[in-house]
Amino acid sequence: MRRQRRRAVIMLAGLMNAFLGTNIGYSAGIIHLGLLEKHKKSPNVVFWAGALFSSLLCLAGPISSVAVNALSCRSTIFLGSFLSFVGFMVSSFVSSIEIVVFSYGIVAGLGQSMIYSGTVLATGFHFHDNPSVATGVVVAGAGMGVAVFPMFTEFLIETYGIDGTFLLLSAVSLQVVVFNMCIDTHELENNRKETSMTFKMKVELIFQELRKIFSMGAYLQFCISIFCWSTSVNTSVLLLPQYYVSTGSSHTEAAILMSLYGITGCFSRILTGLAASDPRVDGKLLYMGSYIILGLSTFFLPLIGNYFPGKVFYSLMLGIYSSNVWSLLTPITIEIVGIQQMPTAFGMELLIGGIGFLIGPIIGGKIQRETEDFTIIFIISGFLYVLAGIFEMLMILTMTKSESFQNRNNMEKIVEVEEKLISNNVIEVKQLHD
C-alpha cells in the first residue's frame, strides 16, 4: 500500500512537471507572432527561434538521455528547470533577435527537453510493470498546458509585451523544482550507476546499446514513423495560428482554437493510456490508426479551413490523433528494446523526432513565403502522417514474425532479466579493456 501511494505521488508530480515545464512549446506559435511584432525586419531569424525551441524538446533527446544515465532522472529535471529559467530570463532583457535565438531557442529549449525526458523516463522506471496508464496521465499534463498556455501566453503578450512574457515564463519554469522534490531515484537507475566503470567504458556501453537497438528492424521502422509524423505535427502547431489568422480569424480566436487542440489532446492522452493498458488492446494499432486518420483530415483542411466550424473540426482532430502518441512512446519502446535500454532508445527517438520538428517548420515556412499559400504544406503534411501509419504497420508485422518479441508481455519478468543484462553488458565492456 505504501509503495502504491508513493507511486501515485510520483505520477502526480510528473503530471505537474509536464504541465509547467514541457508545454510552453505548444505556445511557440503565439510567441512567434509576438516576436514577429517586435522584430518585423527579421522574419527568417524569428522563424529559427521558434523552430529551435519547439524542436529541441526532442532534438536534444540524446543529451537528456546522457544526463539521465550519468546523473539520474531527478537531477536531470532539476538541471532542465534551471536552464529553462535562465533561457527565458535572458530573452526578456535582450533586444537582439540573434541572442533570443540562442537563449530562447537553444538554452530554454534544451531545458524543456531535460524536464520532459527526465519526467517520462522516471515514470517508465517506477511503473515498468504497466507504463501505459501512468505515462498517459503524465503526458496529459502537457495536454492540460496546451489547453491553458496558448490563451495564457496571448494574454501575457497583450498585457506585458513579449519581453514581460518571457520574464513570467521563466518564473513558471522554475516551479518545476517544487514538484520534482517528490520524485525518487529508482533502484534500476542506481543499478546502472553503481557499476564501477570509467567514462570511456560508459561511452562504449552506450554505443553497444545503440548497435543493439538499431539492429532491430522493428525499432528502425518505428524511428522512421516518428520522423514522418514529427515533421508534420510541428509544422501544424507552429503555422496553424498564422493560417487561422490569414483566413479571417483574430489572434484571440487563433489562440482559442489552439487551446481547443490542447483540451482534446489532454483527454486523448489519458484515454489512450487507459486503453493501451488493457491487454486486449494493442497500443501499436492505436498509434497506426491515429496517424492515418489525421493524415486524411489534414488533406481536407484547405477545403474546410476558410470556415470557423472547419477550423474547430481540424483543431479537434489534431488534438485527438496527434497527442495520443505521447502516451504510447514509452510502452512501445519498452516492448521493442526492453527497460534496460529504454533511456538510450528513448533519447534516439527524441533526436529523430527533433530533426523532424526542426526541418518541418523551416521547409513549411519557406513554402508559405514563396507561394503565399498553405495548401501545398497541408497536402505534404497529410501524406507524411499517412506514411507514419504505414511504417508503424510494417513495425507491427516485423514484431509479429520475430521470436525476440514474444515474451514482452510479462513486464515484471523483463525487469529481472534486464537487471541481469545490465551486469552482463558491463562485464562485456570491462573484458574488452582487460
Side-chain angles (χ1 to χ4, degrees):
M1 180 63 70
R2 182 178 179 182
R3 178 172 177 265
Q4 294 300 324
R5 287 198 300 266
R6 190 62 193 160
R7 296 211 306 177
V9 170
I10 292 171
M11 182 174 64
L12 293 176
L15 182 148
M16 291 306 300
N17 281 351
F19 175 72
L20 294 170
T22 69
N23 61 73
I24 301 176
Y26 292 103
S27 297
I30 307 299
I31 295 174
H32 177 71
L33 294 176
L35 286 173
L36 282 176
E37 287 291 326
K38 181 180 179 180
H39 305 280
K40 296 179 181 179
K41 296 181 179 180
S42 307
N44 292 333
V45 182
V46 170
F47 222 97
W48 271 100
L52 280 171
F53 176 75
S54 54
S55 63
L56 271 178
L57 175 70
C58 291
L59 198 62
I63 298 176
S64 302
S65 291
V66 168
V68 169
N69 286 324
L71 303 171
S72 66
C73 294
R74 190 186 194 198
S75 299
T76 301
I77 297 170
F78 278 132
L79 181 58
S81 177
F82 176 74
L83 287 175
S84 293
F85 164 73
V86 172
F88 285 122
M89 175 71 74
V90 171
S91 300
S92 68
F93 289 107
V94 298
S95 57
S96 171
I97 183 59
E98 287 78 12
I99 298 178
V100 172
V101 169
F102 176 76
S103 58
Y104 162 62
I106 297 178
V107 177
L110 177 60
Q112 299 277 292
S113 177
M114 288 187 170
I115 294 172
Y116 178 76
S117 296
T119 300
V120 172
L121 290 174
T123 305
F125 279 122
H126 285 278
F127 293 86
H128 51 75
D129 52 334
N130 189 3
S132 298
V133 175
T135 304
V137 171
V138 168
V139 298
M144 292 163 54
V146 177
V148 174
F149 268 75
M151 289 293 296
F152 177 61
T153 305
E154 177 66 22
F155 167 77
L156 292 180
I157 291 176
E158 290 182 354
T159 308
Y160 303 104
I162 189 64
D163 293 335
T165 299
F166 279 137
L167 184 63
L168 291 171
L169 290 179
S170 70
V172 172
S173 298
L174 205 58
Q175 301 307 305
V176 172
V177 172
V178 178
F179 295 97
N180 194 42
M181 296 295 293
C182 301
I183 297 180
D184 292 333
T185 301
H186 195 270
E187 57 266 21
L188 282 175
E189 295 184 76
N190 292 327
N191 290 342
R192 291 175 66 91
K193 295 186 296 181
E194 285 174 359
T195 53
S196 56
M197 292 191 297
T198 64
F199 176 78
K200 183 179 180 181
M201 293 169 65
K202 290 181 179 180
V203 172
E204 290 182 0
L205 182 59
I206 292 175
F207 277 104
Q208 186 182 81
E209 290 183 350
L210 287 174
R211 285 195 298 270
K212 287 183 179 180
I213 62 178
F214 277 109
S215 66
M216 303 176 185
Y219 183 76
L220 187 60
Q221 291 156 355
F222 188 44
C223 288
I224 296 174
S225 175
I226 290 172
F227 175 77
C228 290
W229 65 254
S230 63
T231 303
S232 293
V233 75
N234 202 35
T235 306
S236 300
V237 171
L238 198 60
L239 292 182
L240 265 183
Q242 186 178 351
Y243 171 70
Y244 287 155
V245 171
S246 70
T247 51
S249 297
S250 66
H251 284 211
T252 301
E253 288 175 336
I256 292 173
L257 288 166
M258 295 308 293
S259 294
L260 183 63
Y261 150 67
I263 293 171
T264 54
C266 177
F267 287 105
S268 176
R269 294 168 197 228
I270 296 175
L271 294 176
T272 300
L274 289 171
S277 67
D278 190 328
R280 296 169 296 180
V281 177
D282 191 340
K284 301 184 294 296
L285 292 177
L286 293 176
Y287 178 111
M288 179 188 72
S290 295
Y291 282 112
I292 291 177
I293 294 173
L294 181 58
L296 296 176
S297 301
T298 305
F299 278 131
F300 290 102
L301 180 58
L303 299 178
I304 64 176
N306 290 323
Y307 309 99
F308 190 77
K311 297 173 185 177
V312 172
F313 171 79
Y314 186 74
S315 293
L316 290 172
M317 297 298 287
L318 184 65
I320 293 171
Y321 293 111
S322 73
S323 299
N324 59 357
V325 66
W326 300 107
S327 301
L328 300 171
L329 278 181
T330 303
I332 293 176
T333 302
I334 294 176
E335 189 173 352
I336 297 174
V337 305
I339 195 169
Q340 185 262 333
Q341 297 176 122
M342 177 184 66
T344 302
F346 189 74
M348 292 307 301
E349 291 165 15
L350 291 183
L351 171 63
I352 292 168
I355 294 173
F357 281 159
L358 178 63
I359 67 174
I362 293 174
I363 296 175
K366 183 176 177 60
I367 293 174
Q368 192 275 327
R369 288 191 300 274
E370 291 182 353
T371 63
E372 297 184 353
D373 186 35
F374 290 88
T375 302
I376 298 177
I377 298 173
F378 292 126
I379 291 176
I380 296 174
S381 294
F383 172 76
L384 289 174
Y385 283 134
V386 173
L387 200 60
I390 292 174
F391 273 102
E392 181 70 9
M393 179 181 65
L394 294 175
M395 186 203 78
I396 294 172
L397 294 175
T398 301
M399 293 179 68
T400 302
K401 294 180 180 180
S402 175
E403 295 181 359
S404 62
F405 303 108
Q406 291 179 357
N407 298 320
R408 284 296 185 192
N409 291 328
N410 192 332
M411 292 295 177
E412 293 291 349
K413 290 183 179 179
I414 290 173
V415 171
E416 297 176 4
V417 173
E418 298 292 354
E419 287 177 334
K420 295 179 181 179
L421 284 174
I422 294 173
S423 301
N424 292 338
N425 286 344
V426 171
I427 291 172
E428 290 177 11
V429 173
K430 285 183 175 180
Q431 287 176 346
L432 294 176
H433 290 263
D434 292 340

